[in-house]
Amino acid sequence: MICLWRLLFVCVAVWESHGAGQRELLALMMPEVGAGGVKHNDYMCQSAQLQPVDTSIVQFEPRANPLVAHHMLLYGCPGKPNARQSWSCKSSGLICGLGKKSQILFAWALNASGLHLPDEVGLEIGPSHDINYAVLQIHYGHPEAVSTDALMGEHEALVLHLTQEKQPFIAGIYLLGSTSAITAGKEAAHVDIACPFGGPNPIQPFAFRTHAHSLGQVIVGYVVKNGNKDWELIGSRSPQDAQAFYLAANSVTVNPGDWLAARCVFNTQAKAHDVHMGANTEDEMCNFYIMYYMVNNGRSL
């Protein structure tokens, strides 16, 4: 349970400023897929050094072909994650470098839309938050299914909208995930996750995202209060829909001592053997992302 070499690429990170007090754009962009070098189930990472000042991300704008990119994840890293700007990174330990902590900042899959955070909410990055590099990880789906001509000029990218203005509320992501195998031959095999929320500060979930592969039917998440007596829905969605962040179903505060729980339901009737969780598209995943905010009063997340 989670309560949380063929290097032909050169990373492209483009900064665009819109003046003092205005937004800045950071485009994390992989070179065109038609240049060759990627295949089904490859994982590639690329990094960009952030400006040496604290900033807030207020909008995420993905630009990706869902046939080419199975999913993309954005991580924050404390230091330079790799000697190269682009590298193979299928193992989670290769995101920020061995022994270095990575922080998930955003996730995208299945042609989902971007995310504009609520007014006065920002996801803070920079020296004070030990996030000095941004790393974009792309899991390549089926680039071979797209014609070579179409791939020429195809760049998978994520554009960050940034501001140096301090926001009254700070955002974060809480990830519920499972590594349990899924029972074969079931119309509704389920995997359950439950994690105690230790705080130290209350949080307000405002959006959620589900992620599974082809067998996933529905994923639902809850806040559990009063010693398992009260279950309050955060959200429920089929992972076969666009895997965007959707608005939370209810306005609920998660306090230290509450539990966060999720259930993933899979249809494994066509499988003769149990299905394992893993990084390949032929494997499965059971992830429930919670995006939340809290008052920005200097306390740590």
Side-chain angles (χ1 to χ4, degrees):
M1 189 157 30
I2 303 167
C3 294
L4 201 75
W5 288 119
R6 184 176 49 212
L7 299 175
L8 304 180
F9 294 156
V10 176
C11 165
V12 179
V14 181
W15 284 92
E16 180 181 338
S17 177
H18 292 271
Q22 303 297 314
R23 290 188 183 179
E24 295 178 327
L25 302 181
L26 171 59
L28 297 161
M29 185 184 304
M30 298 296 281
E32 64 182 37
V33 182
V38 295
K39 64 182 187 301
H40 178 54
N41 279 330
D42 277 351
Y43 278 70
M44 295 297 297
C45 282
Q46 56 116 344
S47 67
Q49 185 173 9
L50 302 173
Q51 295 188 26
V53 294
D54 290 340
T55 56
S56 293
I57 306 173
V58 294
Q59 183 178 348
F60 300 88
E61 184 183 348
R63 299 177 183 176
N65 182 332
L67 285 177
V68 175
H70 173 267
H71 74 252
M72 64 170 64
L73 290 170
L74 178 69
Y75 293 88
C77 296
K80 189 170 184 176
N82 197 285
R84 306 184 184 188
Q85 285 186 309
S86 183
W87 66 98
S88 176
C89 57
K90 198 166 193 175
S91 168
S92 60
L94 299 177
I95 304 296
C96 289
L98 293 176
K100 296 180 181 178
K101 180 182 178 182
S102 62
Q103 300 184 50
I104 296 178
L105 306 179
F106 182 69
W108 172 97
L110 285 182
N111 206 28
S113 58
L115 177 66
H116 196 301
L117 299 187
D119 291 343
E120 300 188 328
V121 176
L123 200 159
E124 294 190 336
I125 55 177
S128 297
H129 309 283
D130 208 22
I131 299 177
N132 301 302
Y133 282 79
V135 174
L136 179 63
Q137 181 197 60
I138 294 182
H139 173 195
Y140 285 93
H142 292 280
E144 72 282 356
V146 182
S147 70
T148 302
D149 289 343
L151 289 178
M152 299 306 293
E154 171 70 33
H155 296 269
E156 312 312 303
L158 179 63
V159 179
L160 308 181
H161 295 243
L162 307 167
T163 179
Q164 292 185 26
E165 293 182 354
K166 189 177 181 68
Q167 302 300 299
F169 300 92
I170 52 177
I173 288 181
Y174 196 104
L175 172 61
L176 296 170
S178 176
T179 57
S180 300
I182 309 164
T183 304
K186 301 288 186 179
E187 183 178 3
H190 67 265
V191 173
D192 293 335
I193 310 161
C195 297
F197 179 69
N201 309 303
I203 60 173
Q204 182 78 37
F206 67 90
F208 71 96
R209 174 183 180 269
T210 64
H211 180 70
H213 293 167
S214 61
L215 303 180
Q217 302 300 298
V218 66
I219 302 176
V220 59
Y222 299 92
V223 179
V224 185
K225 295 177 172 290
N226 301 321
N228 204 33
K229 293 180 181 179
D230 299 325
W231 289 64
E232 300 187 42
L233 179 69
I234 297 175
S236 176
R237 199 83 186 188
S238 168
Q240 304 310 318
D241 295 338
Q243 292 181 11
F245 278 94
Y246 296 95
L247 292 178
N250 296 295
S251 177
V252 58
T253 300
V254 184
N255 294 298
D258 293 342
W259 284 68
L260 292 166
R263 169 170 285 189
C264 300
V265 180
F266 303 88
N267 186 334
T268 60
Q269 286 180 303
K271 299 295 181 180
H273 303 283
D274 290 354
V275 181
H276 295 278
M277 303 294 180
N280 294 329
T281 54
E282 296 80 12
D283 301 320
E284 266 303 336
M285 288 189 174
C286 170
N287 292 337
F288 188 83
Y289 292 80
I290 302 168
M291 186 165 274
Y292 63 87
Y293 63 78
M294 56 175 277
V295 175
N296 191 355
N297 59 7
R299 298 175 301 178
S300 65
L301 291 172

